[in-house]
Amino acid sequence: MRFYLTTPIYYVNATPHIGHAYTTIAADVLVRHHQQRGDETFFLTGTDEHASKVYRVAEEQGLDAKTYVDRIVAEHWRELPRRVNAQYDFFIRTTDEGHKRFVQEFLQRIYDSGDIYQDIYAGLYCVGCEEFKSESDLVDGLCPEHGIAPEYIEEKNYFFRLSAYQDRLLALYDERPDFVLPRFRYNEARSFIEGGLTDFSVTRAGQPWGVPIPWDEEQVTYVWVDALINYLSALTYAREGEDLREQFWPHVHHLLGKDILRFHCVYWPALLLSAGYEVPQQLFVHGYLLLDDRKISKSLGNVIDPLDLVDVYGSDAVRFWALRSVSFGQDGSASVDALHERYERELANDLGNLVSRTTAMIARYLGGRIAPGPRNEELAAPLDALRDKLVTRFDVYDLTGALEDVWEVIRLLNRHVEATAPWQLAKDESKADELAAVLYDLADGVRAVAVALSPYLPETAPRILGCLRQPVDLALEQVAYGKTDETDGIEPAQPLFPRVDLPTAAA
Ligand code: MSP
């Protein structure tokens, strides 16, 4: 299977916050899982740089826009995936020459298909959303997303005949009930289409910052159109001399937050159809990560710097917390206290202690040596079942559910230690075989769990395998019973999640 996954490209008018890290983390977990399955994967992330708000911030700082974006991207945005340990294949910037060239080609195709006409746009525009607004989108005259009044603009623009695509989009949604997940988001997108589609402006006049449109140099491409096209343009120049569209289009899965559903689920497929491309395979719309019940966002001034949390807890813990605390797909709140609590209780205790105890007992009672013994059905069944559960969960992007499935096995293993009490068996020489079997099984369970957790904990999982002197084979088949190689030299493991003091500054 081919699995091409994208994150939205992020606006660079400010530095990254935990909400951006959230999407990037989820995307990376998904991609790593698909790699475990042996899929051919491609992971794209990057930055959306031609927004009016980006241009304005540059002006405020007295910088030329390109100087400003080059700096903030190098210093902060390229850092974001690195700090949360997301292994992307390509980082796109909409200011890349390859992207700009492709945007022009794409627009020309839409123009040639007869879907563009000129008209006057007279109405509202929210610079926060970078979106044209109607009165009905507003609450008390303000944009509900940003709490600011949209600006009135009146300019001659080129419009895209979105209205002409209503029937084709409805047919697409009917044919493909899993086009958009979760289901309630599919319904939301579908009813928006059903409610009637209005043509929208794909250009902006009087703004020097953007990709000039091919047939009228006076206008630049509307930032959302420029941005959406990145998912396709990247494939044309990410690898020199290769056109990855052949391999990965339309095997694309878009991951996005609920605030940008319409652009992705309605506008983007219509633009693709008009330009003669196939529509994406699937879109998954996730919810907001709320902090102490308030949306974590720049405009509300309530920001945790994810990089700070990574410095304190490590990237694995932050990844874990983001996907464990809030059911992926839903909105939910999370806090630094919750991160700390989960770090101690689940990572250090449930998982870390299990690894410490298992390795310490193997070192102490078996001289560091383990070998397969008789098959233990009680452990074999849940370990073998875990693999299938993970596949089912990941197929519907249930990243939180999959993590809970793994945790069930971890709890089972912890109960198994208590129930079998190896320290008692060790006292009785006639129980030597039983002791060896129990500890092999424990090591085996820990190994399988490490492989299952590797998309979430990419740093810790190989360390666990190392503690058990096992090869770092993260293939999904390894989430199974009895795959631990006979080995010696196992020593008591160092704590995987050392104690940390609850930070006060980060909140
Ligand atoms: N530039 C556009 C996307 C263009 S994609 C062709 C954009 N950028 S953004 O930086 O504002 O947001 C990017 C993503 O981050 C969105 O999916 C948004 O939902 C997500 N998040 C921003 N804050 C968030 C939370 N607090 N929680 C979860 N995700 C949120 O929109």
Side-chain angles (χ1 to χ4, degrees):
M1 274 248 307
R2 289 170 180 171
F3 188 80
Y4 167 29
L5 191 78
T6 67
T7 69
I9 48 173
Y10 303 108
Y11 286 133
V12 297
N13 55 308
T15 52
H17 62 74
I18 193 77
H20 307 119
Y22 183 62
T23 313
T24 299
I25 289 168
D28 187 61
V29 170
L30 276 157
V31 172
R32 287 182 193 261
H33 167 83
H34 280 271
Q35 286 167 350
Q36 291 190 288
R37 289 195 197 183
D39 289 351
E40 271 174 74
T41 61
F42 194 78
F43 177 9
L44 180 70
T45 189
T47 44
D48 188 356
E49 305 185 14
H50 291 128
S52 305
K53 57 183 170 187
V54 172
Y55 185 69
R56 288 185 191 178
V57 170
E59 268 189 327
E60 275 162 31
Q61 299 189 3
L63 292 171
D64 147 76
K66 187 63 167 62
T67 309
Y68 167 81
V69 294
D70 283 351
R71 192 177 293 171
I72 195 164
V73 170
E75 286 174 9
H76 295 280
W77 288 95
R78 281 192 191 274
E79 255 321 76
L80 170 70
R82 206 181 64 73
R83 295 308 305 279
V84 299
N85 200 1
Q87 253 173 9
Y88 58 80
D89 291 291
F90 188 62
F91 189 101
I92 189 171
R93 297 183 55 188
T94 54
T95 49
D96 291 344
E97 287 308 318
H99 172 74
K100 293 196 279 185
R101 219 173 15 247
F102 188 87
V103 167
Q104 294 188 324
E105 254 174 64
F106 190 97
L107 285 176
Q108 188 64 50
R109 288 169 73 128
I110 293 178
Y111 188 83
D112 293 343
S113 69
D115 285 329
I116 299 286
Y117 63 94
Q118 203 173 24
D119 204 352
I120 306 257
Y121 178 79
L124 302 168
Y125 189 83
C126 170
V127 183
C129 301
E130 295 289 351
E131 189 175 358
F132 303 93
K133 298 279 180 187
S134 64
E135 289 291 344
S136 63
D137 292 327
L138 309 179
V139 177
D140 298 331
L142 303 179
C143 162
E145 188 73 22
H146 294 92
I148 51 171
E151 298 163 22
Y152 179 81
I153 56 173
E154 192 169 332
E155 53 185 49
K156 204 197 283 171
N157 287 157
Y158 292 92
F159 282 72
F160 172 67
R161 271 183 228 286
L162 180 66
S163 54
Y165 285 87
Q166 179 169 6
D167 291 343
R168 288 175 73 181
L169 288 176
L170 285 176
L172 165 72
Y173 273 73
D174 289 342
E175 250 166 56
R176 290 168 51 178
D178 61 354
F179 183 57
V180 175
L181 291 176
R183 188 66 186 181
F184 71 105
R185 297 296 180 197
Y186 168 98
N187 292 336
E188 187 181 330
R190 197 183 183 289
S191 36
F192 178 74
I193 301 167
E194 225 167 16
L197 297 176
T198 17
D199 298 346
F200 70 97
S201 167
V202 292
T203 67
R204 292 299 309 278
Q207 179 182 305
W209 182 235
V211 183
I213 57 165
W215 61 86
D216 184 346
E217 290 284 316
E218 296 292 294
Q219 303 240 351
V220 295
T221 311
Y222 169 41
V223 66
W224 262 103
V225 173
D226 171 356
L228 287 164
I229 296 172
N230 94 87
Y231 300 135
L232 200 49
S233 73
L235 297 181
T236 65
Y237 69 96
R239 298 278 174 273
E240 218 185 305
E242 279 181 72
D243 188 344
L244 297 172
R245 280 179 296 182
E246 291 157 24
Q247 201 180 342
F248 290 111
W249 199 269
H251 311 284
V252 61
H253 299 248
H254 296 308
L255 198 62
L256 52 131
K258 63 176 185 177
D259 52 329
I260 53 179
L261 174 142
R262 280 184 203 174
F263 289 109
H264 282 82
C265 302
V266 183
Y267 293 23
W268 178 226
L271 289 167
L272 284 165
L273 289 170
S274 172
Y277 283 99
E278 286 188 68
V279 298
Q281 188 166 327
Q282 197 163 52
L283 301 102
F284 185 87
V285 184
H286 66 71
Y288 275 145
L289 186 66
L290 311 156
L291 185 71
D292 297 331
D293 290 336
R294 281 199 297 154
K295 201 179 94 184
I296 303 167
S297 87
K298 290 171 287 230
S299 34
L300 295 176
N302 175 20
V303 182
I304 301 186
D305 190 341
L307 306 185
D308 287 348
L309 296 178
V310 165
D311 289 339
V312 180
Y313 293 96
S315 58
D316 277 8
V318 170
R319 292 163 68 100
F320 175 78
W321 159 79
L323 293 167
R324 181 98 170 121
S325 310
V326 175
S327 182
F328 190 61
Q330 308 289 322
D331 289 337
S333 50
S335 65
V336 176
D337 285 350
L339 168 58
H340 189 80
E341 197 265 333
R342 284 195 186 276
Y343 180 88
E344 288 196 330
R345 183 166 52 86
E346 300 195 310
L347 292 177
N349 235 358
D350 294 350
L351 177 62
N353 272 351
L354 178 65
V355 174
S356 306
R357 291 170 95 183
T358 304
T359 51
M361 289 189 292
I362 292 171
R364 181 155 174 206
Y365 304 138
L366 305 178
R369 180 171 185 78
I370 49 170
R375 187 177 168 86
N376 177 340
E377 266 319 311
E378 213 186 312
L379 291 179
L383 282 187
D384 289 343
L386 179 60
R387 184 182 55 244
D388 295 339
K389 284 188 187 170
L390 293 176
V391 169
T392 309
R393 297 280 201 183
F394 270 91
D395 278 348
V396 291
Y397 303 73
D398 186 0
L399 307 185
T400 308
L403 206 43
E404 176 52 25
D405 289 337
V406 182
W407 234 258
E408 247 171 52
V409 174
I410 292 175
R411 287 192 292 260
L412 173 81
L413 292 170
N414 277 314
R415 285 198 302 273
H416 191 68
V417 180
E418 295 303 325
T420 53
W423 49 92
Q424 295 293 352
L425 299 174
K427 290 183 186 153
D428 184 345
E429 261 177 35
S430 72
K431 303 240 164 98
D433 286 352
E434 201 182 322
L435 175 65
V438 163
L439 291 180
Y440 173 85
D441 282 344
L442 266 182
D444 188 51
V446 169
R447 178 202 53 79
V449 156
V451 177
L453 284 174
S454 63
Y456 300 88
L457 308 178
E459 256 173 29
T460 307
R463 280 179 62 200
I464 297 177
L465 297 175
C467 294
L468 296 169
R469 309 207 15 126
Q470 298 297 307
V472 181
D473 178 354
L474 302 177
L476 204 62
E477 294 90 69
Q478 297 297 322
V479 181
Y481 177 79
K483 298 250 181 186
T484 300
D485 298 339
E486 179 173 344
T487 185
D488 55 16
I490 295 177
E491 289 170 13
Q494 295 301 310
L496 292 173
F497 300 98
R499 263 196 73 81
V500 292
D501 292 326
L502 180 67
T504 45

